[in-house]
């Protein structure tokens, strides 16, 4: 009798990663409740339900959805969670408008040249489209993130404002767990180039690459041992090492 691999993993104790089309979101389970970090793509819904069944929970048991930023591939399930299940959605105020309109954002470079320069990214982007990347609905999010101030959500995550990828991008530090969710401030797979290892996201999707690189100081200061990015595999070599590698790679 064969068994299928579950569509989730547990990169840190009580932290569950959902990876659909190389887009990550994470369910953090604490004694006081559950926090979802980012909302992936629309078709992450099925894997999320499967994970919740494994945990003996329901969608309505999620206490908060926290968006590291509001690009379409991090907002995928947000409207459904908010409207159908009354899950509060929170974001930095400077990404509030983007949460409502997740396709309307600035980026430094045109995208078509990347498809020629980095053909290895084509399967990644195509898979994102197959999983609903072109059909994301915006959401009215509570713009209550304040840099350095713990949020009223299970795990007491601390937003770390790291603008550059978007104006309101934030990392989320769960200090008690020693885990930093880096969103797209640092990724270990860049969907626009196909490159792996710690990088800032390509200029095809980053508003201001110079600001994005300078913002990494806020992440390095945490000294978290585990970094969980918005795209790519978990990084367990310490955030300082990831920041050093991303800076060495620079903008692309």
């Amino acid at each position: 009798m064969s068994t299928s691999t579950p569509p989730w993993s547990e990169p840190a104790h009580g932290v569950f990663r959902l990876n659909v089309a190389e887009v990550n979101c994470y369910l953090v389970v604490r004694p006081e409740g559950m926090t979802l970090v980012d909302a992936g793509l629309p078709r992450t819904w099925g894997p999320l339900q499967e994970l919740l069944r494994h945990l003996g929970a329901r969608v309505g048991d999620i206490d908060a959805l926290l968006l590291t930023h509001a690009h379409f591939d991090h907002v995928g399930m947000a409207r459904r969670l908010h409207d159908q299940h009354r899950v509060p959605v929170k974001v930095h105020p400077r990404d509030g408008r983007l949460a409502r309109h997740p396709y309307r954002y600035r980026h430094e470079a045109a995208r078509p040249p990347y498809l020629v320069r980095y053909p290895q990214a084509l399967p990644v982007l195509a898979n994102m489209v197959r999983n609903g990347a072109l059909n994301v609905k915006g959401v009215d999010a509570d713009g209550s993130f304040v840099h350095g101030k713990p949020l009223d959500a299970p795990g007491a995550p601390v937003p770390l404002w790291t603008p550059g990828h978007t104006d309101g991008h934030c990392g989320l530090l769960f200090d008690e767990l020693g885990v930093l969710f880096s969103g797209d401030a640092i990724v270990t797979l860049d969907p626009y180039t196909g490159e792996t290892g710690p990088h800032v996201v390509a200029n095809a999707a980053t508003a201001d690459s110079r600001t994005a690189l300078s913002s990494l100081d806020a992440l390095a200061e945490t000294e978290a041992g585990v970094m969980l990015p918005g795209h790519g595999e978990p990084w367990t070599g310490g955030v300082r090492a990831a920041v050093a590698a991303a800076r060495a790679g620079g903008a692309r």
Side-chain angles (χ1 to χ4, degrees), residues 91-98 100 141-146 167-168 170:
V91 73
H92 190 278
R94 293 190 65 178
D95 264 21
R97 181 180 178 279
L98 183 56
R100 294 189 295 274
D142 175 8
S144 57
F145 283 20
V146 177
D167 293 338
C170 287

Side-chain angles (χ1 to χ4, degrees), residues 52 56-57 83 85 95 110 121 132 139 178 188 205 213 228-229 235 244 252:
L52 289 167
D83 289 1
H85 300 276
D95 264 21
V139 66
T188 57
L213 286 164
L228 300 178
W235 176 269
R252 295 173 313 294

Side-chain angles (χ1 to χ4, degrees), residues 146-163:
V146 177
H147 175 77
K149 181 180 179 180
L151 293 164
D152 182 16
V158 178
L160 301 171
W161 186 42
T162 44

Side-chain angles (χ1 to χ4, degrees), residues 113-201:
Y114 282 78
L115 304 181
V116 176
R117 290 169 55 197
Y118 301 101
Q120 64 269 30
L122 286 171
V124 177
L125 297 171
N127 199 18
M128 289 172 64
V129 170
R130 285 193 294 271
N131 283 278
L134 301 182
N135 299 293
V136 174
K137 296 179 180 179
V139 66
D140 285 319
D142 175 8
S144 57
F145 283 20
V146 177
H147 175 77
K149 181 180 179 180
L151 293 164
D152 182 16
V158 178
L160 301 171
W161 186 42
T162 44
H165 185 63
T166 66
D167 293 338
H169 189 287
C170 287
L172 290 164
L173 175 66
F174 284 72
D175 198 25
E176 184 178 284
L177 299 175
V179 172
L180 172 71
F181 295 91
S182 61
D184 285 6
I186 303 181
V187 296
T188 57
L189 170 68
D190 187 336
Y192 290 90
T193 67
E195 295 174 328
T196 58
H199 290 93
V200 295
V201 174

